Amino acid sequence: MAGAKVLLMMGCPEIPIQTSIALYLSHKLTKLGFDVSVAGTEAATRLLKVSDSDGYYAKKSCKPR
């Protein structure tokens, strides 16, 4: 399944664990060879960028429209 695409969708960041689990899953799935993208609401994606400002764990982050 290496190279398969994975999309992690995040909603309203009311649950504190959401950002950290998205970063963890993104990193682990990338290491397994998956092509991972993370998307979500504006607030959720901003928290993701603040938590991983260098893009080490979440390589691709989609901006909301």
Side-chain angles (χ1 to χ4, degrees):
M1 285 192 97
K5 294 184 179 203
V6 174
L7 176 63
L8 299 176
M9 290 289 297
M10 301 187 310
C12 189
E14 293 175 11
I15 303 169
I17 191 76
Q18 177 180 259
T19 303
S20 57
I21 199 68
L23 291 173
Y24 174 81
L25 283 173
S26 176
H27 182 64
K28 287 293 186 179
L29 291 170
T30 300
K31 285 182 75 174
L32 290 172
F34 290 92
D35 181 18
V36 181
S37 295
V38 182
T41 63
E42 185 175 354
T45 54
R46 283 186 181 184
L47 280 173
L48 188 73
K49 288 195 185 295
V50 167
S51 300
D52 184 29
S53 57
D54 290 333
Y56 180 77
Y57 296 105
K59 306 287 186 216
K60 293 183 202 173
S61 181
C62 306
K63 293 183 179 182
R65 293 179 184 211

